[in-house]
Structure formats: C-alpha cells, structure tokens
Amino acid sequence: RRLQREMDHLMDRTGWGLETPSCYPAMNVWTNEDGVIVTAELPGFKPDEIDISVVSDTLTVSGNRDPEDVGEGVTYHRRERGCGRFTRAFQLPFLVEGAEVEARFEKGVLHITLPRAEADKPKKIEIKAG
C-alpha cells in the first residue's frame, strides 16, 4: 500500500505519470497548396481549456486538464488518463495568414486550418521573348 501511495503521489505531481508529455496530444499535420491542416485528439477537453497561437511560422497548441474529482478515501486501481498542462509546438513549412486561421472543436478532436500566406505561394514567372 505504501508503494501504491508513493506511485500515486508521483503520478499526481507529474500529471502524466510515465507518459512523455511532449507527445500529448496525438496530432496530425498535413499540407496542400492552400495551407496547413492540423488535427489534435483532445477528448474530455472544453474549447475554453485550449490555447492556439501562431507566431511567424510556428504553431503552438497548449491546454490544461484538471484531475478528476473522485472524492475522499478513494485509491486508484489504475490511472492512465493524464491531467495537467501540455504544450505542443510545430514549425510550419511556410508562412500562414495568422488573421485567417480557423479552429473548430468537434467530438473531442480539434481541427485547425492555417491558410498559406499569399506572399509565400509559388508564382509562375512569365518569360518574355525578344
């Protein structure tokens, strides 16, 4: 029981136990000619618990999940769902229009659309004869 209490204490202190916080939440990032699309799995979060920022070519997603209130006198049998603060940052492959970034949260998945900056889009150069 003492070992269990010590392990519970350690997991409470770090928030994520043995997990590596830098890989939470699971995220997918892909591009097309119009911009970057990012999805992040954040079950149990509310939109107001998530912060999104774009500075230059870096996207940062951060948030905080409070521990569950399970009541007094409860001893965890198993605790795998993390709580606490997380931050993920990605360097984007090109500049984006920060003012046009859109985010929506649906069924525990965050969807972020980052339009490519017009100045950063490839331009066809016309060759003049003569």
Side-chain angles (χ1 to χ4, degrees):
R1 285 190 88 32
R2 181 171 182 257
L3 177 59
Q4 181 66 46
R5 281 194 309 272
E6 292 291 352
M7 290 301 292
D8 287 345
H9 177 70
L10 174 64
M11 290 175 75
D12 286 341
R13 233 183 32 222
T14 61
W16 298 102
L18 300 175
E19 294 294 317
T20 305
S22 63
C23 64
Y24 180 86
M27 299 178 84
N28 289 340
V29 180
W30 65 93
T31 64
N32 60 27
E33 59 222 24
D34 297 322
V36 179
I37 296 96
V38 177
T39 58
E41 295 178 357
L42 292 163
F45 276 82
K46 298 175 192 142
D48 63 348
E49 296 173 326
I50 304 165
D51 296 313
I52 303 167
S53 68
V54 178
V55 176
S56 187
D57 65 346
T58 302
L59 168 71
T60 303
V61 178
S62 59
N64 187 53
R65 181 176 16 212
D66 293 328
E68 291 178 285
D69 183 16
V70 293
E72 292 291 318
V74 174
T75 302
Y76 277 97
H77 174 69
R78 185 174 195 93
R79 187 173 182 182
E80 295 179 355
R81 294 181 55 219
C83 59
R85 186 136 190 84
F86 75 86
T87 299
R88 298 286 312 266
F90 293 99
Q91 183 175 6
L92 302 170
F94 41 72
L95 295 176
V96 298
E97 295 289 350
E100 296 178 26
V101 173
E102 294 181 3
R104 74 181 197 286
F105 194 64
E106 187 176 340
K107 296 182 181 178
V109 178
L110 176 64
H111 301 263
I112 307 169
T113 304
L114 303 112
R116 189 171 191 169
E118 197 61 43
D120 196 58
K121 289 183 179 179
K123 304 280 190 266
K124 180 164 174 71
I125 307 299
E126 182 181 333
I127 302 172
K128 298 179 184 177

